[in-house]
């Protein structure tokens, strides 16, 4: 950006509830900026900070943060960014005394050493010598604790809208801890690598919660499953692997709790997780092994930045270059309430679906007729009067059917986001009125199968009826029609799909 030129940013919110979020935009120079809400012309709070050097911002020297508040559901707000002078405004670094996320949580990084049967025996000559690889995690020795990574540097950048604590651990891990104004969570952005072969890197979040050897992990982002240390609910377990035998898949969240507090960590990708000690959550974030685990891959888990040579007979399938560098994020929430499921649910949609940014240069350089509709309506929502849906409902799909040219036809998929017993209020059934989704009159609503390819009732009539003496068929709440108003009641964790036809009073020729 040059002095006197403007940048327009459209901040789009894909959630069906309104949100506040601090946005980050890379900029190339230290200057003085101002950011305005285009509709209200109100100046918003900003902070210019040096880029952290992590993957994703290494091409720009600085990052401009600004608050985007009251972004409407399924809608957007437009902001104008001006560089008003070349005078420096970057936030200066200060030294930090500690890296505690919150007063009740301490974090540490470390690694396990992968087991290789060519080097040692884990539990004696008569035991399994299964190696650690792409599918199997086995530390050496089997009951090993992590080797901690020492802190090699800390910097703190503080502003009215956010604080960043940047920490380096050894030569392998760079971390940025962000605490935003008005929020109750901490965002952790980490960059790991290159790591040596035979290394499995983890991070731990440590609290004083008395979790009684119990923690919870999600099942594909839906149900939470109770896990107990060294225990299986359907058989008597003799535990030979006290570390890896207590690891479970974490697709979206892991939490632990006692009667008065809870600690929840949300992940931005699937990772392995556990709680080997009361009050401690451990997540595996990066692995690089020397050996194949004989589960079909035929090579070690050893991803490198230059790929590999061809397989035989044209090459020896050897890796080239250094180990890859990865980046990821966690959302950490400690609450003085012993309900980790509800705490996790409240953040899952926000963390999974961040606000999206769209950019445009100063409209003064464009012909008037070229201005897009969004800038003629700087704030908009697909929902009537920008009224959000209930907090426990997610609009998973809102689109025109594929290859369907009928006007005013939409596919709508709705999801109840809470499980039974997770929250006193938000775990209750919730009724959705389709008039609250569309700005024009709803003509008809038809329930479809989850993938929209069949009428739901017709499909149920063709379902095979097994003679097992048990009634396992789930009865869904029916669509209701009263006073020309369609509605449906969603039970906890239900996902349901509908084809909706509405009156056409505007151009619906594009997907929305």
């Amino acid at each position: 950006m040059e002095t006197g030129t403007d940048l327009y940013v459209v901040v789009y919110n894909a959630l069906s509830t309104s949100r506040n979020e601090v946005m980050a935009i890379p900029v190339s120079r230290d200057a003085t900026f101002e950011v305005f809400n285009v509709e209200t012309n109100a100046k918003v709070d900003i902070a210019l900070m040096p880029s952290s050097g992590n993957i994703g911002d290494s091409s720009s020297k600085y990052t401009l943060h600004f608050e985007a508040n009251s972004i409407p559901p399924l809608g957007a707000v437009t902001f104008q960014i001006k560089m008003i002078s070349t005078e420096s405004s970057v936030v200066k670094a200060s030294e930090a005394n500690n890296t505690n996320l919150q007063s009740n949580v301490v974090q540490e990084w470390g690694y396990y050493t992968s087991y290789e049967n060519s080097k040692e025996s884990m539990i004696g000559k008569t035991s399994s010598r299964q190696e650690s690889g792409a599918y199997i995690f086995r530390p050496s020795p089997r009951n090993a604790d992590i080797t901690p990574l020492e802190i090699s540097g800390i910097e703190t950048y503080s502003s009215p809208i956010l604080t960043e604590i940047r920490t380096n651990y050894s030569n392998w891990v760079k971390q940025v801890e962000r605490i935003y104004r008005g929020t109750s969570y901490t965002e952790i952005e980490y960059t790991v690598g290159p790591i040596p072969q035979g290394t499995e890197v983890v991070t731990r979040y440590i609290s004083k919660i008395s979790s009684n050897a119990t923690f919870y992990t999600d099942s594909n982002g839906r149900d939470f499953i109770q896990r107990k240390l060294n225990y299986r609910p359907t058989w008597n377990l003799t535990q030979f692997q006290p570390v890896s035998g207590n690891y479970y898949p974490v697709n979206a969240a892991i939490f632990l709790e006692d009667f008065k507090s809870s600690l929840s960590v949300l992940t931005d990708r699937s990772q392995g997780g556990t709680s080997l000690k009361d009050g401690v959550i451990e997540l595996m974030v990066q692995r690089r092994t020397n050996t194949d685990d004989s589960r079909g891959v035929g090579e070690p888990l050893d991803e490198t930045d230059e790929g590999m040579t061809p397989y035989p007979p044209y090459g020896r399938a050897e890796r080239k270059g250094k180990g890859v560098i990865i980046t990821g994020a966690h959302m950490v929430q400690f609450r003085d309430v012993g309900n980790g499921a509800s705490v996790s649910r409240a953040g899952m949609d926000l963390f999974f679906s961040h606000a999206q940014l769209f950019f445009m240069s100063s409209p003064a350089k464009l012909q008037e007729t070229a201005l897009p509709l969004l800038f003629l309506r700087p704030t908009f929502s697909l929902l009537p009067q920008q009224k959000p849906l209930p907090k426990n409902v997610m609009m998973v799909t809102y689109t025109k059917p594929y290859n369907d040219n009928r006007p005013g036809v939409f596919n709508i998929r709705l999801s109840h986001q809470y499980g039974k017993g997770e929250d006193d209020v938000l775990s209750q059934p919730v009724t959705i009125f389709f008039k609250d989704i569309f700005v024009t009159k709803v003509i008809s609503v038809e329930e479809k199968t989850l993938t929209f390819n069949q009428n739901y009732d017709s499909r149920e009539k063709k379902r095979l009826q097994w003679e097992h003496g048990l009634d396992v068929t789930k009865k869904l709440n029916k669509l209701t029609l009263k006073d020309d108003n369609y509605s449906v009641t969603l039970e906890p964790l239900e996902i349901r799909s509908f084809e909706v036809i509405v009156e056409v009073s505007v151009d619906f020729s594009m997907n929305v």
Side-chain angles (χ1 to χ4, degrees):
M1 292 181 63
E2 299 296 334
T3 305
T5 63
D6 299 339
L7 179 70
Y8 286 83
V9 182
V10 178
V11 182
Y12 176 71
N13 172 25
L15 303 183
S16 48
T17 54
S18 59
R19 73 191 301 166
N20 302 325
E21 190 166 338
V22 174
M23 312 311 301
I25 296 176
V27 295
S28 60
R29 61 191 303 178
D30 177 9
T32 301
F33 297 89
E34 289 183 343
V35 180
F36 297 87
N37 182 309
V38 170
E39 183 173 58
T40 64
N41 202 36
K43 185 189 294 187
V44 302
D45 289 338
I46 67 173
L48 182 67
M49 295 185 177
S51 294
S52 64
N54 291 353
I55 292 177
D57 64 7
S58 58
S59 62
S60 61
K61 293 183 178 181
Y62 305 96
T63 301
L64 179 65
H65 302 267
F66 68 92
E67 284 188 320
N69 292 333
S70 302
I71 312 173
L74 292 172
V77 177
T78 306
F79 295 89
Q80 182 184 26
I81 301 177
K82 297 183 177 182
M83 188 176 76
I84 59 174
S85 79
T86 58
E87 183 179 350
S88 173
S89 65
V90 69
V91 176
K92 305 300 182 182
S94 61
E95 293 185 1
N97 295 322
N98 62 69
T99 59
N100 291 359
L101 303 172
Q102 302 167 23
S103 59
N104 296 301
V105 183
V106 177
Q107 187 190 15
E108 67 178 9
W109 284 86
Y111 67 93
Y112 294 103
T113 299
S114 306
Y115 171 68
E116 303 171 30
N117 66 31
S118 60
K119 292 185 177 180
E120 57 184 301
S121 175
M122 292 180 65
I123 50 178
K125 295 180 180 180
T126 61
S127 62
S128 167
R129 300 181 69 186
Q130 170 67 55
E131 294 181 301
S132 194
Y135 288 101
I136 304 294
F137 161 50
R138 269 190 162 179
S140 177
R142 60 172 181 162
N143 58 349
D145 197 359
I146 64 171
T147 301
L149 294 177
E150 299 297 329
I151 294 175
S152 57
I154 306 175
E155 288 183 335
T156 298
Y157 295 84
S158 297
S159 75
I161 63 173
L162 84 157
T163 296
E164 286 193 353
I165 302 175
R166 302 177 182 181
T167 310
N168 292 342
Y169 294 83
S170 186
N171 295 321
W172 301 351
V173 179
K174 292 181 179 180
Q175 175 177 290
V176 180
E177 171 190 338
R178 296 188 180 96
I179 304 170
Y180 299 101
R181 177 168 67 183
T183 63
S184 56
Y185 65 86
T186 300
E187 179 184 277
I188 300 294
E189 181 188 89
Y190 56 83
T191 299
V192 180
I195 63 174
Q197 286 182 287
T199 302
E200 320 216 16
V201 179
V202 303
T203 189
R204 285 176 174 172
Y205 300 97
I206 304 167
S207 71
K208 295 182 179 179
I209 292 175
S210 300
S211 50
N212 194 28
T214 302
F215 60 103
Y216 300 81
T217 64
D218 71 286
S219 176
N220 286 328
R222 304 305 291 168
D223 276 314
F224 279 109
I225 302 175
Q226 185 186 75
R227 313 293 193 182
K228 292 185 178 181
L229 203 63
N230 301 318
Y231 172 80
R232 300 294 186 271
T234 56
W235 79 92
N236 293 326
L237 173 67
T238 301
Q239 183 64 272
F240 292 104
Q241 299 295 330
V243 176
S244 58
N246 286 295
Y247 257 74
Y248 293 91
V250 177
N251 297 293
I254 178 173
F255 72 86
L256 46 79
E257 61 188 9
D258 58 20
F259 68 95
K260 62 179 181 180
S261 304
S262 64
L263 173 62
S264 165
V265 181
L266 309 186
T267 64
D268 67 343
R269 68 202 65 195
S270 295
Q271 295 177 329
T274 187
S275 177
L276 300 175
K277 299 178 182 178
D278 272 12
V280 180
I281 288 177
E282 176 176 310
L283 288 160
M284 179 80 69
V285 300
Q286 175 66 324
R287 307 175 64 223
R288 190 183 181 197
T289 68
N290 275 311
T291 56
D292 174 40
D293 57 10
S294 302
R295 289 297 185 272
V297 176
E299 62 183 72
L301 179 62
D302 182 19
E303 296 174 307
T304 55
D305 57 5
E306 295 183 22
M308 63 189 303
T309 62
Y311 280 80
Y314 306 104
R316 300 177 60 183
E318 294 175 326
R319 287 285 176 180
K320 299 188 299 181
K322 300 177 181 179
V324 295
I325 301 173
I326 62 100
T327 187
H330 292 155
M331 177 190 282
V332 183
Q333 302 176 91
F334 182 95
R335 300 287 180 83
D336 291 325
V337 56
N339 191 345
S342 180
V343 171
S344 299
R345 295 288 186 196
M348 287 170 71
D349 289 336
L350 290 170
F351 194 54
F352 174 76
S353 181
H354 288 281
Q356 301 297 307
L357 300 179
F358 302 87
F359 298 90
M360 183 179 178
S361 59
S362 173
K365 297 182 180 180
L366 300 175
Q367 296 179 1
E368 184 177 352
T369 56
L371 289 178
L373 178 64
L374 291 183
F375 289 87
L376 299 178
R377 298 177 58 197
T379 299
F380 80 96
S381 172
L382 295 178
L383 301 183
Q385 288 81 50
Q386 301 185 12
K387 180 182 177 181
L389 298 183
K391 291 181 179 180
N392 51 357
V393 174
M394 176 71 167
M395 181 86 72
V396 180
T397 302
Y398 188 142
T399 186
K400 292 281 289 179
Y402 180 70
N403 279 344
D404 189 334
N405 296 321
R406 292 176 297 165
V409 180
F410 291 89
N411 284 341
I412 299 296
R413 186 181 286 120
L414 299 170
S415 171
H416 194 305
Q417 298 297 82
Y418 282 71
K420 290 183 178 180
E422 293 179 352
D423 188 277
D424 292 341
V425 175
L426 299 177
S427 288
Q428 300 301 315
V430 58
T431 299
I432 300 297
F433 294 92
F434 285 86
K435 68 178 180 62
D436 294 333
I437 299 176
F438 296 93
V439 296
T440 57
K441 182 180 179 180
V442 176
I443 299 173
S444 67
V445 180
E446 175 188 346
E447 181 151 15
K448 295 286 192 176
T449 56
L450 199 60
T451 56
F452 297 105
N453 65 346
Q454 299 177 67
N455 175 278
Y456 179 81
D457 290 333
S458 298
R459 174 64 184 87
E460 286 299 290
K461 292 177 181 178
K462 295 184 289 184
R463 180 190 291 272
L464 292 176
Q465 302 298 317
W466 300 97
E467 297 181 1
H468 45 53
L470 300 174
D471 184 11
V472 296
T473 303
K474 181 176 175 57
K475 305 298 183 183
L476 296 182
N477 296 316
K478 294 292 185 180
L479 274 168
T480 61
L481 174 61
K482 183 178 181 180
D483 299 329
D484 292 329
N485 191 4
Y486 288 90
S487 65
V488 67
T489 298
L490 299 177
E491 297 292 330
L493 289 182
E494 273 189 351
I495 304 175
R496 298 174 66 176
S497 300
F498 305 92
E499 180 183 273
V500 184
I501 301 177
V502 301
E503 282 187 351
V504 179
S505 59
V506 294
D507 181 12
F508 286 117
S509 61
M510 64 177 182
N511 283 356
V512 294

